[in-house]
Amino acid sequence: MPKKNDIVRLTIERCGLAGEGISHLDGQVVFVSGGIPGEVCDVQLLKVGKTAIWGRVHALVDGSPARVAADCPYYPKCGGCQFRHMRYSAELETKRRRVEDALRRIGGVDLPVSEILGAENTLRYRNKVQLPVAPGPRIGFFRARSHDVVNVEDCLLQPETASALRRAVLAWMLEWGVPAYEEETHTGLLRHLYLRFSRTQVLCCLVVNSAKPLPGEEALVSALRAAAPGLAGVAVSVNQERTNVVLGRELRSLWGHPWLDDTLCGLTFRISVPSFYQVNRDQAEVLYEQALAFAGLTGHELVLDLYCGIGTISLVMARRAGKVIGAEIVPSAVTDAKANAARNGITNADFLCGDAGTAAQHLAMQGLRPDVICVDPPRKGLSAEVCDAIADMAPARVVYVSCDPATLARDVRRLHESGYRPEKAVAVDMFPRTAHVETVVLLSKLNTKQHIEVELNLDELDLTAAESKATYEEIREYVLEHTGLKVSHLYIAQVKQKYGIIERENYNKPKSENSRQPKCPPEKEAAITEALKHFGMI
């Protein structure tokens, strides 16, 4: 029976979702930090669970040709990167296969990811930096799978100016006795150092745990301006909530202005502190050009852009479309989007503020029939309501821009079931040296006239047989073994109900009508769905 700190010899079979190697030991899945597929390693076991084990490479027995020496002194202690031990070409292929595998296993579609578009520059590409602050004081990044802050003096993913501003803030904290935020006690002042960069300027925002003026505000501004000659503004975001959300709702300016102007795809955009903007400018242009190509615009189409943010994709497409309508839930982003349209002289783009599902349903009720719908949702993907609204509006094409292969695959399945055939998929490496990957998928509306109508006799179908194919414990164990995720019986019941697998009348129902049940998170829903497919239940 394996125990913590045991050293065992394993062969790495493939890469997991977080870039870790995956192997097996006595029927249990082993997640190996630093492992590369094909390697034989002596692995130190760090945590031994009932059906999964976590470990790290202790020594290489037979290393991979893809292995290189890490070029960062903080790797892998800092949790920001996952692939600094691997050649970039191997990293790209790992990401491409991950997207293709998710589309096949979770999405149920055999859609080759034709290519992954790698970055010309894998260093210092980030234009947004969020540095947590902890007692010490320490300013850096969270250690992997923890909230322990690693003090990082310089990060190879960030502009060098970020390090200069970090040093200036540290010096100010020491000189003025500014306490760092302590998460457990909810005390202290400075929580995060938040930076945004354009091609020529930088915006500095301090996230604090108090609405009172900061100690030595004038000295702080002077130090920051000296550290970064291109500084455009200094702002303070007040966040007094017990939350992992970085920015608070109140923002005040200490000096300059709380926004930046940047150029993307030949257009000028104004970015406020909370606005969504792709963190890798160069690769964002690659991503948007791919989305534009998939949209197939000729100058006459009506395009609906859901989750439009500050209007980046909307305005890129407006130059080739008849009209574009963008929808976004963040009011400040909608304000920025409208201003960005005016700034670029684009008159065929309108923007509305609202939840994507609500906006889509509202437009559908108005009889809007867009030719193309583009979606670029957050990591949780689309809700079922948004997928239904898209299908109701019946566009000829759907362009799906995704930052998470699992939720992308789940939504591709939903849209496919609603009559949209996935045609093409291309991955874009927006975040070199990390496990994240972007994907663009083109889905086209099926021509129903060319499909055969099939009459099914429901009396001949055994709709209850699936329920007996796997127990809840078997589903839980499968999910844990293949993804490392722990799922409850409630979550499994919710996913089974979604796919029409009938439960007993009162199974997992709340005890009172006013009770609120937690909803299964997207990544766990995708994992449970894969398990149901494995057991032949869907």
Side-chain angles (χ1 to χ4, degrees):
M1 183 72 180
K3 303 183 297 298
K4 181 179 179 180
N5 291 325
D6 281 356
I7 295 177
V8 297
R9 184 158 295 180
L10 298 174
T11 298
I12 307 301
E13 301 160 14
R14 58 187 176 89
C15 273
L17 298 180
E20 74 280 55
I22 291 181
S23 186
H24 287 82
L25 177 65
D26 297 338
Q28 292 179 282
V29 64
V30 185
F31 298 95
V32 183
S33 176
I36 297 177
E39 289 187 329
V40 179
C41 310
D42 285 338
V43 176
Q44 182 182 12
L45 307 184
L46 304 178
K47 179 182 177 181
V48 179
K50 291 183 179 180
T51 57
I53 301 172
W54 288 262
R56 65 184 174 197
V57 174
H58 176 74
L60 287 174
V61 178
D62 185 8
S64 166
R67 180 172 290 277
V68 294
D71 55 354
C72 174
Y74 305 103
Y75 183 79
K77 294 180 181 179
C78 160
C81 294
Q82 290 78 44
F83 285 118
R84 304 209 82 90
H85 63 291
M86 187 184 292
R87 294 186 188 280
Y88 187 50
S89 57
E91 174 189 338
L92 290 176
E93 179 58 16
T94 296
K95 291 177 176 179
R96 189 197 66 78
R97 287 184 178 179
R98 175 187 165 196
V99 177
E100 194 171 80
D101 185 55
L103 288 168
R104 182 179 65 256
R105 291 186 299 108
I106 302 173
V109 295
D110 186 12
L111 179 65
V113 178
S114 60
E115 61 179 327
I116 180 167
L117 304 175
E120 290 187 12
N121 186 7
T122 63
L123 297 174
R124 304 199 183 278
Y125 58 81
R126 289 191 63 93
N127 57 37
K128 183 175 79 171
V129 176
Q130 298 177 157
L131 298 169
V133 182
R138 289 169 287 149
I139 301 180
F141 297 98
F142 290 126
R143 195 182 303 273
R145 295 179 294 279
S146 81
H147 274 204
D148 177 32
V149 175
V150 177
N151 204 44
V152 175
E153 295 183 6
D154 182 41
C155 172
L156 295 178
L157 300 187
Q158 302 170 1
E160 291 178 314
T161 304
S163 300
L165 290 169
R166 173 191 170 277
R167 290 192 295 269
V169 170
L170 270 176
W172 165 73
M173 292 180 71
L174 294 172
E175 181 179 355
W176 290 87
V178 177
Y181 179 70
E182 295 190 51
E183 187 174 312
E184 291 185 0
T185 61
H186 194 53
T187 58
L189 181 60
L190 186 59
R191 298 178 66 142
H192 274 82
L193 175 59
Y194 182 101
L195 308 173
R196 305 201 79 150
F197 295 84
S198 69
R199 296 184 187 274
T200 58
Q201 293 182 313
V202 57
L203 175 62
C204 180
C205 179
L206 281 74
V207 184
V208 298
N209 188 35
S210 171
K212 297 179 181 179
L214 303 181
E217 287 187 352
E218 291 185 3
L220 171 63
V221 169
S222 296
L224 293 174
R225 292 181 68 183
L231 193 67
V234 180
V236 173
S237 175
V238 178
N239 186 354
Q240 295 178 280
E241 303 294 325
R242 286 182 176 267
T243 176
N244 290 332
V245 177
V246 175
L247 294 175
R249 294 176 180 157
E250 178 187 339
L251 185 73
R252 64 186 179 93
S253 181
L254 292 186
W255 174 84
H257 42 74
W259 46 262
L260 292 173
D261 286 335
D262 199 16
T263 56
L264 185 70
C265 297
L267 299 170
T268 301
F269 294 94
R270 178 154 295 182
I271 312 152
S272 59
V273 171
S275 295
F276 172 78
Y277 190 68
Q278 293 285 1
V279 301
N280 186 335
R281 183 187 306 103
D282 293 343
Q283 285 298 91
E285 292 183 339
V286 173
L287 181 73
Y288 292 166
E289 288 297 330
Q290 188 62 59
L292 184 62
F294 278 4
L297 303 178
T298 64
H300 305 288
E301 292 82 4
L302 173 61
V303 178
L304 174 60
D305 180 18
L306 298 177
Y307 308 91
C308 69
I310 62 172
T312 48
I313 294 181
S314 298
L315 299 183
V316 168
M317 290 197 172
R319 295 183 297 185
R320 303 262 189 96
K323 184 176 180 63
V324 175
I325 297 175
E328 170 60 52
I329 197 170
V330 180
S332 61
V334 174
T335 300
D336 285 344
K338 292 178 178 178
N340 286 330
R343 185 172 294 109
N344 289 282
I346 294 176
T347 59
N348 63 332
D350 292 335
F351 298 93
L352 58 91
C353 186
D355 171 79
T358 302
Q361 291 171 0
H362 175 70
L363 294 172
M365 289 175 61
Q366 290 183 326
L368 176 65
R369 291 294 181 266
D371 301 290
V372 177
I373 292 181
C374 181
V375 295
D376 185 7
R379 197 165 299 280
K380 64 182 180 180
L382 304 177
S383 67
E385 292 75 18
V386 173
C387 289
D388 291 343
I390 290 172
D392 288 343
M393 286 185 283
R397 294 177 295 285
V398 176
V399 179
Y400 195 132
V401 179
S402 169
C403 60
D404 186 278
T407 54
L408 166 68
R410 177 205 64 197
D411 295 342
V412 164
R413 171 184 282 274
R414 287 173 174 170
L415 291 168
H416 195 198
E417 292 169 350
S418 297
Y420 282 86
R421 179 179 59 247
E423 299 273 6
K424 301 176 183 177
V426 170
V428 178
D429 190 26
M430 187 76 70
F431 314 100
R433 317 318 269 152
T434 80
H436 303 294
V437 60
E438 295 269 336
T439 312
V440 188
V441 172
L442 170 64
L443 300 103
S444 298
K445 185 172 178 57
L446 291 169
N447 184 349
T448 54
K449 294 181 180 179
Q450 296 178 359
H451 285 73
I452 301 172
E453 293 185 3
V454 178
E455 182 178 348
L456 294 176
N457 184 351
L458 297 182
D459 292 336
E460 296 177 359
L461 298 179
D462 182 2
L463 298 180
T464 60
E467 191 171 2
S468 65
K469 289 188 177 180
T471 66
Y472 277 76
E473 283 305 312
E474 287 172 334
I475 294 171
R476 288 183 65 189
E477 290 180 4
Y478 180 90
V479 169
L480 185 61
E481 177 182 351
H482 288 79
T483 68
L485 296 173
K486 295 182 179 179
V487 296
S488 65
H489 285 201
L490 172 61
Y491 288 165
I492 295 172
Q494 289 175 353
V495 178
K496 289 176 71 175
Q497 184 179 31
K498 174 181 175 182
Y499 285 100
I501 302 175
I502 308 302
E503 299 289 351
R504 293 185 294 276
E505 175 62 24
N506 294 314
Y507 193 85
N508 274 323
K509 284 192 173 182
K511 295 181 180 179
S512 69
E513 293 183 359
N514 295 325
S515 297
R516 297 184 64 184
Q517 291 181 308
K519 188 176 180 181
C520 184
E523 66 276 11
K524 293 189 177 182
E525 178 183 330
I528 294 170
T529 299
E530 182 183 353
L532 296 180
K533 288 178 57 183
H534 170 77
F535 289 113
M537 300 173 72
I538 57 175

